[in-house]
Amino acid sequence: MADKKICVLTSGGDAPGMNACVRAVVKCGEKRGLEVYGARRGYQGLIENEFIRLERSSVSNIIQKGGSIIVSSRSEYFFKEDGRKTAADNLRNMGIEGLIVIGGNGSMTGAYKMMLENGTKIVGVPGTIDRDIWGTEETIGFNTAVNTALESIDRIRDTAEAMERVFIIEVMGRHCGEIALISGIGGGADAVMIPEVKTDIDELIHDIQEGSKQGKKTNLIVVAEGDDFGGAHKVSMALKERAGIKSWVVILGYVQRGGTPTAIDRYFASVFGVAAVDTIVEGMSGVMVGWQKDEVKYIPLKDTFSNKKPFDPHDNELLELLT
Ligand code: F6P
């Protein structure tokens, strides 16, 4: 194994815990006798030959940091076949034999195509605050993001209660309502709107009006950005136009992506980083390391993006009982 070179990159939206994963790859890689490189700015760094040598000293004091020390990006050129070929050629010229890609659905799609077209040996690691990747119960960053959203909801609740207002809080999640559901349940929301369930705005209006008749003047409504009704501003406008209900909108946005990763995110980042290195050492390729039923699983890259993560209705049912 000695002298074998591997490379790690972070791709797509950054997620808290990505640094902890890079650290795990570097530390475990060295212990396995590998030379570890990082590609700066994700796939773009492969295309532009931006490789940096990563040693133990490069990853000291980063486990607690949000963002990505090797920088992430959404590379447009990598969407094209010749972009992926350039990337693969550059890896080959560097003598790099294995690539670890930390990212979400789009990043796994790119990894799969690159492998198929160029024979590059690739292992994926699920890194996204959305927790929307098929084949894994955990993704790096979700736990931190959901707790950040929850903290904000708690703060907004203070004002909502103090001023007797209706607040519509928009959280991230373009195609997936996981952050909205979990932070909404934890934050005691009066309603949660998610892409997976059709929004019934008239029912929401009815609930607010009925509550108001019984003296409930405060409402917290959590909306996933990808909700079919169209996000927090549209919900707020509909409440006003259809029923004269005034509401205040808060878009949490990128605060959910940054910040110190929680213990859970650091843990899964470390587990996944080590598992990814060992997968390469064992000569496997074309898989994403994931978490199912308390253990690491190896999921074919293709399955991770060609299947949609099934929606578990239990949380939604739980919410119904708690509002
Ligand atoms: O996939 C993570 C995520 O934060 C989504 O929740 C959000 O819709 C998207 O990324 C935003 O992407 P960008 O950083 O490119 O604006």
Side-chain angles (χ1 to χ4, degrees):
M1 262 298 119
D3 294 330
K4 186 168 174 170
K5 294 181 187 174
I6 64 165
C7 178
V8 59
L9 61 81
T10 51
S11 167
D14 58 297
M18 280 181 163
N19 283 327
C21 189
V22 170
R23 171 182 179 270
V25 167
V26 172
K27 289 201 163 194
C28 177
E30 285 202 355
K31 292 238 162 87
R32 303 287 190 241
L34 308 175
E35 221 173 279
V36 185
Y37 289 80
R40 279 177 52 78
R41 292 183 287 121
Y43 290 124
Q44 196 59 29
L46 296 184
I47 292 167
E48 292 176 9
N49 255 319
E50 266 206 75
F51 295 101
I52 45 167
R53 179 85 166 87
L54 293 174
E55 292 167 301
R56 291 177 75 81
S57 58
S58 337
V59 294
S60 76
N61 197 27
I62 66 164
I63 195 165
Q64 79 287 13
K65 289 188 177 152
S68 168
I69 60 151
I70 50 174
V71 188
S72 192
S73 73
R74 301 190 194 275
S75 167
E76 301 240 326
Y77 191 31
F78 196 77
F79 284 125
K80 301 189 176 115
E81 195 172 335
D82 57 334
R84 293 190 290 272
K85 183 175 180 317
T86 305
D89 288 346
N90 289 342
L91 276 171
R92 210 172 292 121
N93 292 339
M94 281 285 294
I96 291 169
E97 292 174 55
L99 175 66
I100 295 173
V101 172
I102 309 167
N105 277 315
S107 308
M108 296 307 133
T109 312
Y112 176 72
K113 287 186 177 165
M114 184 178 176
M115 179 190 77
L116 209 66
E117 294 158 1
N118 303 282
T120 317
K121 289 201 168 19
I122 310 186
V123 173
V125 172
T128 166
I129 64 163
D130 292 349
R131 202 170 69 174
D132 61 346
I133 306 181
W134 190 90
T136 183
E137 290 158 13
E138 301 291 342
T139 63
I140 299 168
F142 173 76
N143 191 268
T144 309
V146 92
N147 278 301
T148 303
L150 181 67
E151 193 194 322
S152 306
I153 292 169
D154 285 348
R155 285 169 188 262
I156 293 162
R157 175 182 286 286
D158 288 347
T159 298
E161 291 284 348
M163 308 289 291
E164 297 189 314
R165 286 179 178 173
V166 175
F167 269 92
I168 323 273
I169 304 161
E170 185 177 295
V171 298
M172 274 186 165
R174 237 183 322 214
H175 308 292
C176 182
E178 293 263 303
I179 297 178
L181 258 186
I182 309 297
S183 66
I185 289 170
D190 297 291
V192 176
M193 299 172 165
I194 54 175
E196 295 89 340
V197 177
K198 184 132 190 55
T199 290
D200 186 341
I201 200 80
D202 293 325
E203 189 185 323
L204 176 67
I205 288 171
H206 175 263
D207 289 349
I208 294 174
Q209 287 173 334
E210 282 306 301
S212 174
K213 278 184 206 156
Q214 288 159 33
K216 179 175 165 50
K217 305 287 177 215
T218 300
N219 279 272
L220 289 183
I221 297 147
V222 176
V223 183
E225 63 174 325
D227 176 61
D228 63 296
F229 198 78
H233 284 295
K234 283 220 170 131
V235 173
S236 176
M237 265 158 54
L239 294 186
K240 181 89 193 136
E241 281 163 13
R242 295 188 196 193
I245 299 168
K246 191 169 180 206
S247 61
W248 279 256
V249 170
V250 181
I251 313 275
L252 293 185
Y254 291 94
V255 294
Q256 295 157 97
R257 287 245 290 259
T260 302
T262 58
I264 299 286
D265 273 330
R266 296 182 205 192
Y267 173 74
F268 283 112
S270 304
V271 168
F272 289 153
V274 166
V277 169
D278 282 343
T279 305
I280 288 181
V281 169
E282 282 156 25
M284 262 200 280
S285 171
V287 292
M288 181 191 80
V289 296
W291 191 256
Q292 288 174 23
K293 297 190 172 60
D294 289 335
E295 60 181 14
V296 172
K297 286 274 174 331
Y298 306 89
I299 304 110
L301 273 178
K302 188 163 194 260
D303 293 353
T304 67
F305 59 86
S306 45
N307 294 303
K308 190 169 162 37
K309 194 174 180 188
F311 175 63
D312 179 355
H314 286 113
D315 288 337
N316 215 33
E317 286 158 17
L318 178 69
L319 190 84
E320 297 274 311
L321 295 169
L322 298 174
T323 49

